[in-house]
Amino acid sequence: MHFELQAECPHTGARAGLIHTAHGVIETPVFMPVGTQATVKGVTQRDLAGELDAKIILANTYHLFLRPGHELIRELGGLHKFMSWPRAILTDSGGFQVFSLSDLRKVTDQGVLFRSHLDGDAHLFTPESTVDVQLALGSDIIMPLDECIAYPASREAAYQAMRRTVNWAHAAYGHYRRRVEESASQPALFPIVQGSMFADLRRACAAELTDLDAPGYAVGGLSVGEPRSLSLEMTEVTLGILPRDRPRYVMGVGMPEELPEYVARGVDMMDCVLPSRNARNGYLFTSSGRVVIKQARYRDDVAPIDPNCQCYTCRTYSRAYLRHLYQAGEILFATLATLHNLNYYLDIMRQIRQAIELGTFPAYLDGIRNRAAVE
Amino acid sequence: MHFELQAECPHTGARAGLIHTAHGVIETPVFMPVGTQATVKGVTQRDLAGELDAKIILANTYHLFLRPGHELIRELGGLHKFMSWPRAILTDSGGFQVFSLSDLRKVTDQGVLFRSHLDGDAHLFTPESTVDVQLALGSDIIMPLDECIAYPASREAAYQAMRRTVNWAHAAYGHYRRRVEESASQPALFPIVQGSMFADLRRACAAELTDLDAPGYAVGGLSVGEPRSLSLEMTEVTLGILPRDRPRYVMGVGMPEELPEYVARGVDMMDCVLPSRNARNGYLFTSSGRVVIKQARYRDDVAPIDPNCQCYTCRTYSRAYLRHLYQAGEILFATLATLHNLNYYLDIMRQIRQAIELGTFPAYLDGIRNRAAVE
């Protein structure tokens, strides 16, 4: 994997680039749809590549480790082949899911012991084992085990988790370097910056991780309940330390109007379950605000979700029909709504990238801010 | 609507024809996918027309009457426009659902009083009102209210239901003739033959309904629990009376190996929830028998569901991946499995039609019977 910086905004931190992987070239800034269990819920791989033209998706190590199991996926030729997705895949380390889904977890310096949310079986994730799991999956970009703590956290707790994250990153990197030579896949490993909402801890963590000379870096531990301004502030603080010539990935953000804010701070990659999860719950993003499809006002509304949208759903179906599908609990609703919301996010990223290339990103950002202020 | 008979098998009752409608030409024999609530569950209208090339689908009057309501669908331009389906639609009268889904139903000569399975509200379906509902929907082929009774039934109960069905068919037809001239849609109305499993009642009912000189006829009251040989026998008895130059539709059948049996007896149209419902439950039809995808044997099976199938699912995904999606409760499973099972049914119908045209239908039928005997 290598990162090619193509254009930088002279007035903000925004950049446009290309990430070259064994499974295609990714235009950045990029939003990665979340395919938790080796599927972006309700969307065929054909539509993911065709209608949406997603260049990279995210899959969850924790879920795939538990079911169907990484060894099975390795036997079947890796995750790309297993899920028939020829383009790039990033996998997280599973750490976030351990902290959010499983109970009876116990964190030690060695790793994290947890019980499966599926059957209660006990498992241990270590910095080394999660690298092995991701090598078995054959992802293009892999993440080391980190300790993601809740918000708010005491400075002491944040410090301990940051230190453990740095130590685990070094352990993961050492193991990765030994294992990757004999591995069929040659993924890039992106260390994760932690430090809760303490700027000095974030800076210290970022500085220590740059010693690894990794091909890219991630910012974790955001979107855990803190005010949005704080997420942006921590991103800015962290990115000031990270090397300019490597892609920067902020994990688990954000709302549509936040995407250009992250880009303005130098972020190249983002992912979030919001567009797909909100879609299934009937919350649809549009260029003129949110459409809550169950509302009675859409009962006889023949307009598409968003008249400015060119997605399959908006080209084909009315709000009235979509409301009917939602009210009737029809599966097709999830598919059509997810296609729309993901297209909305990917379109924003395409607009952002174009604005950076054309040198009009500051004006684009102002437009988004003004619209958000009015709404 | 008119029916064009193109080829008849000299050795069986099988025929190939064309049904010309305002929404396209339907090649017969035809299997109609069931789109209960204005959607074939889990399948986009694009795939229904493109991947599957379905020429006609069935929608349920009972469900659409209750939700979103036929008046709303009329206001929005009719069912084709509402659901973005430009091809033909057949709607049933709602009678079968009243008898199978709602409780507190009361049948009188006037019609059937029932409570909605959604909210318990009381509604009355009459021969006249169900015609009005279907005219509002704008279907291409509509069905009169009939009384569908359980199996087994006494001769007296069967006789009474048959008589009521004939009377209702006349009432529906009279109302239809008065209403259709002022209606935006000009659908064909197919009377339904009842008579339970009594051959003489079936014959008498068919004979009386032919007086209506309808553009097509249906056989109802089958697939209600009787042995399969009896369903075929009743079909044969009934079709012997119905006019040769009109399409014959047997409602609610059948299993894949039964499709050619119905065709051999002169059936032109069939519908059934089996392929789509079984798909969602993980039962997949293949040229070498049924695949129950949850079985452990498919855990690491890299073959497609059916190596002889050309559907999107079989072109793209392995049994191992589909089993994973099923086990994980993923929406995508329903979509992919439904695409496969419906394609399997529609392929059978395409093979049957080709065999009739080539004069090889008896050999085709023998092949299916021999394979069924072996399995």
Side-chain angles (χ1 to χ4, degrees), chain A residues 211-258:
Chain A
D211 292 348
L212 290 169
D213 193 25
Y217 289 88
V219 183
L222 299 180
S223 282
V224 290
E226 77 280 9
R228 282 172 187 174
S229 58
L230 205 47
S231 330
L232 286 170
E233 191 190 321
M234 288 301 115
T235 299
E236 196 164 349
V237 158
T238 307
L239 266 53
I241 310 289
L242 294 176
R244 178 181 155 276
D245 60 347
R246 312 288 158 93
R248 295 99 164 242
Y249 162 33
V250 175
M251 306 175 81
V253 297
M255 287 290 283
E257 65 276 13
E258 295 171 336

Side-chain angles (χ1 to χ4, degrees), chain B residues 58-73:
Chain B
L58 183 147
N60 288 123
T61 296
Y62 170 87
H63 289 284
L64 295 174
F65 165 82
L66 292 179
R67 184 174 58 194
H70 58 291
E71 286 300 346
L72 176 66
I73 292 178

Side-chain angles (χ1 to χ4, degrees), chain A residues 38 41 84 316 321 324 330, chain B residues 37-38 41 84 316 321 324 330:
Chain A
K41 291 187 192 304
S84 298
T316 315
Y321 179 66
H324 163 66
E330 283 287 350
Chain B
Q37 304 193 100
K41 292 186 191 305
S84 298
T316 315
Y321 180 67
H324 164 66
E330 283 286 350

Side-chain angles (χ1 to χ4, degrees), chain A residues 37-39 41 45-47 67-68 72 76 82 84 299 302 312 316-317 321 324-325 327 330-332, chain B residues 37-39 41 45-47 67-68 76 82 84 302 312 316-317 321 324-325 327-328 330-332:
Chain A
Q37 304 192 103
T39 162
K41 291 187 192 304
Q45 277 69 326
R46 178 196 55 189
D47 284 343
R67 183 174 59 193
L72 176 67
L76 297 175
F82 178 64
S84 298
R299 184 179 167 276
V302 294
Y312 168 69
T316 315
Y317 302 98
Y321 179 66
H324 163 66
L325 293 182
Q327 298 289 86
E330 283 287 350
I331 300 172
L332 187 60
Chain B
Q37 304 193 100
T39 163
K41 292 186 191 305
Q45 278 69 326
R46 177 196 56 188
D47 284 343
R67 184 174 58 194
L76 297 175
F82 178 64
S84 298
V302 294
Y312 168 69
T316 315
Y317 302 98
Y321 180 67
H324 164 66
L325 293 182
Q327 297 290 86
E330 283 286 350
I331 300 173
L332 187 58

Side-chain angles (χ1 to χ4, degrees), chain B residues 42-295:
Chain B
V43 178
T44 62
Q45 278 69 326
R46 177 196 56 188
D47 284 343
L48 208 50
E51 286 286 340
L52 296 174
D53 199 17
K55 298 294 191 341
I56 179 169
I57 61 168
L58 183 147
N60 288 123
T61 296
Y62 170 87
H63 289 284
L64 295 174
F65 165 82
L66 292 179
R67 184 174 58 194
H70 58 291
E71 286 300 346
L72 176 66
I73 292 178
R74 186 215 303 271
E75 281 165 35
L76 297 175
L79 186 54
H80 294 85
K81 191 171 174 195
F82 178 64
M83 67 180 290
S84 298
W85 175 248
R87 300 187 180 182
I89 298 174
L90 179 148
T91 41
D92 59 14
S93 70
F96 183 79
Q97 279 73 31
V98 166
F99 291 100
S100 60
L101 287 179
S102 74
D103 39 42
L104 275 175
R105 61 182 180 271
K106 192 178 165 202
V107 186
T108 66
D109 288 344
Q110 196 206 342
V112 51
L113 190 71
F114 64 96
R115 289 195 181 280
S116 159
H117 74 291
L118 296 175
D119 57 14
D121 280 1
H123 300 280
L124 176 69
F125 270 174
T126 68
E128 293 81 7
S129 77
T130 52
V131 165
D132 288 339
V133 171
Q134 293 175 84
L135 288 176
L137 296 176
S139 319
D140 298 282
I141 301 175
I142 70 176
M143 310 296 291
L145 190 63
D146 62 331
E147 186 174 357
C148 182
I149 58 173
Y151 174 84
S154 71
R155 188 187 160 79
E156 179 56 23
Y159 175 77
Q160 293 300 339
M162 182 275 272
R163 286 262 34 101
R164 192 169 268 141
T165 296
V166 170
N167 292 340
W168 284 355
H170 279 88
Y173 229 85
H175 186 74
Y176 161 81
R177 287 206 177 98
R178 290 186 293 276
R179 288 295 314 281
V180 77
E181 281 163 31
E182 70 209 42
S183 165
S185 62
Q186 306 285 326
L189 191 153
F190 285 18
I192 303 171
V193 178
Q194 290 287 353
S196 188
M197 306 304 153
F198 300 94
D200 59 328
L201 296 184
R202 289 271 170 191
R203 282 194 203 95
C205 187
E208 283 205 65
L209 292 174
T210 55
D211 292 348
L212 290 169
D213 194 24
Y217 290 88
V219 182
L222 299 180
S223 282
V224 290
E226 76 281 10
R228 282 171 187 174
S229 58
L230 205 48
S231 329
L232 286 170
E233 190 189 320
M234 289 300 114
T235 299
E236 195 164 349
V237 158
T238 308
L239 266 53
I241 308 290
L242 295 175
R244 179 181 154 276
D245 61 347
R246 311 289 158 90
R248 294 99 164 241
Y249 162 32
V250 175
M251 307 175 81
V253 297
M255 288 290 283
E257 65 277 13
E258 294 171 335
L259 303 179
E261 295 291 352
Y262 282 99
V263 171
R265 285 157 180 82
V267 174
D268 305 298
M269 305 164 71
M270 289 173 272
D271 79 283
C272 194
V273 293
L274 256 183
S276 38
R277 182 176 294 163
N278 275 9
R280 296 194 302 281
N281 292 327
Y283 296 94
L284 306 170
F285 296 109
T286 83
S287 55
S288 52
R290 201 169 64 165
V291 165
V292 183
I293 201 70
K294 73 175 174 192
Q295 291 175 356

Side-chain angles (χ1 to χ4, degrees), chain A residues 114-147:
Chain A
F114 64 97
R115 290 197 180 278
S116 158
H117 74 291
L118 296 176
D119 58 14
D121 280 1
H123 300 278
L124 176 69
F125 270 174
T126 68
E128 294 80 7
S129 78
T130 52
V131 165
D132 288 338
V133 171
Q134 292 176 84
L135 288 176
L137 296 176
S139 319
D140 298 282
I141 301 175
I142 70 177
M143 310 296 292
L145 189 65
D146 60 332
E147 185 173 356

Side-chain angles (χ1 to χ4, degrees), chain A residues 291-309:
Chain A
V291 166
V292 182
I293 201 69
K294 74 177 174 191
Q295 290 175 357
R297 63 205 275 211
Y298 302 121
R299 184 179 167 276
D300 58 356
D301 189 337
V302 294
I305 301 171
D306 185 346
N308 295 321
C309 177

